[in-house]
């Protein structure tokens, strides 16, 4: 080290010129490196958002609405009733798409839904019906609903109906089918269709009777909070949540006036499905994020969603407008002989969990998740710490025990994402890219930066117009 003081210094400088200019003034040679922080969006747009006098207050309003939201399970009803689905209409996950742009697993799920509804007798006939415009497609998010993976929802499917007791708003999701070869993963074989018919004819009515018979609605927000204390992150790990839900609903299910064999099969199905709670957690998060609505000047993200082809985000400051880009492919662990070449690009509405601040944002609360999606325990801890840097608040209800019960990072901020270059972390399942395959693994994925570039530009444009 002492040799550094005996010779003439040689300096390499990166960033602003103040330091290098001062050295040159003293006769020191400086080599400048052209480097800038990895920001997203143009400097002018970022400056516009940073200096918008409405931003701080608008983001406070958005955060307060999210944190004030609560969710209770109030009913179970067919989608034709609660969503008003009539004729040949199917809902899907993520931003809007067409049959032509649909990925393999999305096409498989749409084909399976047509077979389930009886609109076609064979996969070939279903594909022809879809290809010729015989079925109307729309995003679940446009109907206050969410669906995991392909998220395909048809009129006959039964829906969880969740209500925010603070204002009466509702959100919906279909029932979880379990793992493996299931419709949401793009499978549509006879066993898939048979299971869907059983869910419609047996499980849906039993759950409806059980939920309606309860003296008090099931507190889904409370279960979510408890899950984080018990090792779940509420996206890809739902063991504790599913067991708590089974515990709460079992007395009412047993009391339902239905054949004992049906009641036993419903209980057996729930008990054997570790992801049963996911389809309750998702509409709970949807309720919270929909509470934000349109808040001019806010830079909070209200939706992260994927349809297997595109990733889409929406923000409080731009309302219902989608900002989309090609979806990335998750990286993680694979089932059986499947490998990276078998995985489809990111798909599903389940990223609503990360939008709400749990799931991949709370990996620190569920270190065991790395055995399912890949990575290490230190990775899980570091991920949650990093997500605090791109969010606006911490949730007092959703707490992370290993971080001293610190509140979950809540309210993704477009401006913070753009400034840091750090993208939201999502835990996800992986569907096979070929229609009919089913699940091939689980892993980690991030939104494409282009979604946030578009959001920055649009929010900056709105800011200039509003302040002109």
């Amino acid at each position: 080290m002492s040799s550094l003081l005996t010779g003439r210094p040689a300096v390499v400088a990166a960033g602003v010129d103040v330091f290098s200019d001062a050295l040159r003034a003293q006769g020191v040679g400086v080599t400048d490196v052209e480097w800038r922080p990895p920001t997203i969006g143009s400097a002018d747009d970022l400056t516009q958002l940073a200096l918008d006098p409405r931003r701080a207050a608008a983001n406070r309003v958005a955060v307060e609405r999210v944190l004030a939201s609560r969710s209770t399970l109030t009913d179970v009803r067919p989608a034709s009733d609660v969503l008003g689905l009539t004729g040949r209409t199917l809902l899907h996950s993520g931003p809007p798409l067409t049959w032509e742009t649909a990925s393999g697993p999305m096409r498989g799920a749409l084909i399976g839904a047509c077979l389930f509804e009886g609109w076609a007798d064979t996969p070939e006939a279903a594909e022809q019906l879809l290809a010729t415009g015989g079925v109307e497609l729309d995003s679940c998010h446009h109907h206050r609903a969410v669906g995991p993976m392909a998220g395909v929802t048809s009129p006959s499917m039964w829906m969880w109906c969740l209500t925010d007791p603070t204002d009466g708003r509702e959100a919906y999701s279909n029932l979880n089918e379990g793992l493996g070869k299931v419709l949401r993963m793009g499978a549509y074989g006879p066993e898939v269709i048979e299971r869907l018919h059983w869910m419609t004819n047996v499980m849906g009515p039993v759950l409806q009777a059980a939920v309606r018979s309860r003296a008090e609605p099931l507190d889904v927000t409370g279960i979510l909070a408890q899950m984080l204390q018990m090792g779940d992150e509420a996206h890809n790990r739902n063991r504790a949540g599913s067991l708590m839900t089974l515990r709460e609903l079992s007395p009412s299910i047993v009391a339902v006036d239905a054949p004992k064999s049906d009641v036993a099969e419903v209980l057996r199905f729930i008990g054997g499905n570790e992801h049963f709670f996911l389809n309750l957690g998702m509409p709970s998060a949807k309720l919270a994020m929909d509470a934000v609505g349109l808040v001019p000047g806010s830079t909070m993200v209200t939706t992260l969603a994927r349809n297997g082809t595109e990733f889409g985000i929406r923000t409080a400051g731009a309302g219902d407008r989608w900002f989309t880009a090609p979806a990335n492919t998750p990286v993680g662990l694979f089932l059986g002989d499947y490998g990276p070449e078998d995985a489809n690009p990111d798909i599903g509405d389940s990223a609503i969990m990360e939008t709400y601040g749990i799931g991949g944002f709370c990996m620190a609360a569920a270190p065991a998740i790395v055995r399912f999606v890949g990575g290490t325990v230190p990775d899980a801890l570091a991920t949650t710490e990093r997500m605090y840097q791109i969010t606006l608040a911490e949730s007092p209800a959703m707490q992370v025990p290993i971080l001293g019960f610190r509140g979950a990072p809540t309210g993704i901020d477009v401006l913070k994402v753009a400034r840091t270059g750090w993208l939201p972390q999502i835990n996800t399942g992986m569907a096979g890219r070929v229609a009919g395959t089913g699940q091939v693994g689980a892993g980690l994925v991030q939104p494409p930066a282009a979604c946030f570039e578009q959001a920055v530009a649009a929010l900056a444009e709105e800011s200039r117009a509003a302040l002109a």
Side-chain angles (χ1 to χ4, degrees), residues 33 75 100 333 408 418 440 458:
V33 176
D75 208 350
E100 289 72 25
L333 304 179
V440 299

Side-chain angles (χ1 to χ4, degrees), residues 406-428:
R406 186 176 181 184
T410 303
I412 302 167
D413 183 6
V414 170
L415 182 58
K416 290 185 177 181
V417 170
R419 280 174 160 175
T420 62
W422 291 345
L423 294 162
Q425 182 66 68
I426 299 167
N427 297 341
T428 186

Side-chain angles (χ1 to χ4, degrees), residues 255-342:
V256 170
D257 183 13
K260 291 183 179 179
S261 59
D262 288 349
V263 171
E265 189 60 27
V266 169
L267 290 171
R268 188 179 300 112
F269 181 84
I270 297 173
N273 182 1
E274 294 180 354
H275 282 286
F276 186 75
F277 179 82
L278 175 61
N279 292 48
L280 282 166
M282 288 173 56
S284 182
K286 172 71 170 169
L287 271 176
M289 302 318 300
D290 277 0
V292 177
L294 176 62
V295 184
S298 173
T299 52
M300 179 191 282
V301 173
T302 56
T303 306
L304 298 173
R306 321 85 102 204
N307 60 28
T309 302
E310 290 185 316
F311 196 113
I313 74 172
R314 298 190 296 185
T315 70
D320 293 333
R321 180 177 174 182
W322 288 96
F323 304 104
T324 64
N328 295 324
T329 300
V331 176
L333 304 179
F334 292 88
L335 303 174
D337 295 330
Y338 293 119
E341 68 281 359
D342 299 307

Side-chain angles (χ1 to χ4, degrees), residues 15 38 47 63 84 88 105 117 176 230 276 291 364 393-394 426 457-458:
T47 300
V63 166
R88 293 176 174 173
E117 289 289 347
N176 194 284
M230 299 171 68
F276 186 75
E394 299 179 16
I426 299 167

Side-chain angles (χ1 to χ4, degrees), residues 65-72 163-167 169 219 221-222 284 287-288 356 396-397:
R65 291 176 181 176
V66 170
L67 298 182
S69 178
R70 295 291 181 268
S71 65
T72 57
T163 304
D164 187 335
T166 63
D167 56 18
R169 291 178 304 105
D219 181 2
T221 304
S284 182
L287 271 176
Y356 183 46

Side-chain angles (χ1 to χ4, degrees), residues 189-254:
E191 72 278 15
V192 175
I193 306 306
E194 181 180 351
R195 185 189 307 112
L196 290 173
H197 280 299
W198 174 81
M199 293 172 70
T200 294
N201 298 327
V202 177
M203 187 165 75
V206 168
L207 289 176
Q208 181 187 72
V211 169
R212 289 181 175 181
S213 69
R214 288 176 56 87
E216 295 289 338
L218 181 66
D219 181 2
V220 181
T221 304
I223 291 179
L224 276 171
Q226 283 298 310
M227 290 169 68
L228 298 182
Q229 312 299 307
M230 299 171 68
D232 285 350
E233 40 72 76
H235 186 166
N236 262 311
R237 187 177 174 88
N238 290 274
R239 290 184 177 185
S242 295
L243 288 173
M244 283 189 284
T245 301
L246 178 60
R247 182 193 66 185
E248 290 291 329
L249 294 181
S250 288
S252 299
I253 291 175
V254 170

Side-chain angles (χ1 to χ4, degrees), residues 54 68 106 122 144 148 155 167 195 205 230 335 381 386 421 432 438 455:
R54 306 171 301 163
M106 182 63 76
T122 65
R144 295 179 293 166
D167 56 18
R195 185 189 307 112
M230 299 171 68
L335 303 174
L381 296 171
R386 189 164 61 251

